[in-house]
Amino acid sequence: MNTISWEQLTPFFQNVFKIEGVLLILQLLILLFCFLENNFTQKILSVSIVTYAYKMAIDPFVFISYIAMDRGAYENVKFYLAVILLIGLILHCIFLYHWIRKIKRGEYALNTSIKSQSNNSNKKFVLFPIVFAFVIFSFLLIRNIPGSDNIIYLIVAIVLLICLAYAVCEFIFVSYCIFRFPSFAVNPPQKKQQYVNHKNLRKKKKKNKR
């Protein structure tokens, strides 16, 4: 196994590793400074959860790409890796679309019960070709990438990608609610009590009696 130097990396992967370094520094800063329970910290943490969830889904494929470059097989597998990531993005968009539809219909409301699941057949019809494409391109990738250890990495990467494609939807909506609705804040604004003029209230009561 040869070691690839920084100069041997393509400009694209040099930029990828630079972004990885910046995100790592930001993560350390967030861990050091975002420990107070206030609204500003809550907003930063909600955005960072979404950002690092996407990063967690992409990182395994960056690692597989680096191993493939080290073994001289990157040109044979880069197309399949890109297609698998693209399929994961499409799957994520489908999950996000269904989340938005359910929220608009009020299916996540506390006082609402789901009466029917008529859309399950449509979901299966949409998800089946996507899962089938995952299997096909994963099989083609396994055939072109050397080493049995990479097969394990690829299986873990695909499972993680599918799980995060669904889980990130919840993180996005939680972050949206924190920014959009003050009641979701750690310290929600207190409701102002309206001043009641008791003298005027008594005068109105006397007029009504007359």
Side-chain angles (χ1 to χ4, degrees):
M1 189 173 182
N2 299 321
T3 304
I4 298 176
S5 62
W6 179 261
E7 290 75 16
Q8 292 175 313
L9 291 173
T10 61
F12 173 76
F13 273 97
Q14 286 181 354
N15 292 328
V16 168
F17 285 115
K18 286 177 183 177
I19 294 170
E20 292 274 350
V22 171
L23 289 174
L24 180 61
I25 293 169
L26 287 175
Q27 189 174 12
L28 293 173
L29 292 174
I30 289 169
L31 291 173
L32 287 173
F33 296 106
C34 294
F35 56 88
L36 298 175
E37 290 188 6
N38 55 50
N39 296 344
F40 180 72
T41 300
Q42 185 187 20
K43 289 178 180 179
I44 292 176
L45 291 175
S46 65
V47 173
S48 66
I49 287 172
V50 176
T51 303
Y52 288 101
Y54 282 123
K55 179 180 178 295
M56 191 186 299
I58 296 171
D59 277 349
F61 293 93
V62 175
F63 178 69
I64 292 171
S65 300
Y66 180 80
I67 292 176
M69 279 189 289
D70 192 49
R71 296 178 179 178
Y74 177 68
E75 293 299 323
N76 298 330
V77 302
K78 65 178 182 180
F79 172 74
Y80 303 111
L81 287 171
V83 172
I84 289 173
L85 281 173
L86 181 61
I87 294 171
L89 179 61
I90 293 170
L91 187 64
H92 174 57
C93 292
I94 292 171
F95 286 145
L96 198 60
Y97 171 74
H98 283 292
W99 267 72
I100 293 171
R101 285 190 63 189
K102 285 183 178 181
I103 289 172
K104 286 183 176 180
R105 290 200 300 262
E107 292 187 16
Y108 290 115
L110 293 175
N111 58 350
T112 305
S113 59
I114 301 173
K115 295 181 180 179
S116 63
Q117 296 180 349
S118 58
N119 293 327
N120 283 347
S121 59
N122 294 331
K123 291 178 185 177
K124 290 177 182 177
F125 180 76
V126 173
L127 292 177
F128 177 76
I130 295 175
V131 175
F132 182 74
F134 260 124
V135 174
I136 293 297
F137 281 98
S138 300
F139 176 74
L140 293 172
L141 181 58
I142 289 170
R143 288 188 61 186
N144 286 276
I145 194 168
S148 58
D149 54 341
N150 290 327
I151 298 174
I152 299 172
Y153 298 148
L154 180 62
I155 293 171
V156 172
I158 292 174
V159 171
L160 191 63
L161 180 65
I162 294 172
C163 293
L164 287 172
Y166 183 81
V168 175
C169 298
E170 184 175 356
F171 300 154
I172 290 171
F173 282 108
V174 169
S175 181
Y176 169 77
C177 290
I178 289 171
F179 278 87
R180 179 68 177 82
F181 305 108
S183 58
F184 278 80
V186 174
N187 300 316
Q190 295 180 353
K191 293 182 180 179
K192 294 182 180 179
Q193 295 182 351
Q194 293 183 350
Y195 174 75
V196 179
N197 194 329
H198 294 285
K199 291 182 178 180
N200 292 335
L201 209 68
R202 289 170 187 170
K203 289 179 181 179
K204 287 181 181 179
K205 286 181 179 179
K206 288 179 180 179
K207 286 181 181 179
N208 292 332
K209 287 179 181 180
R210 292 175 184 176

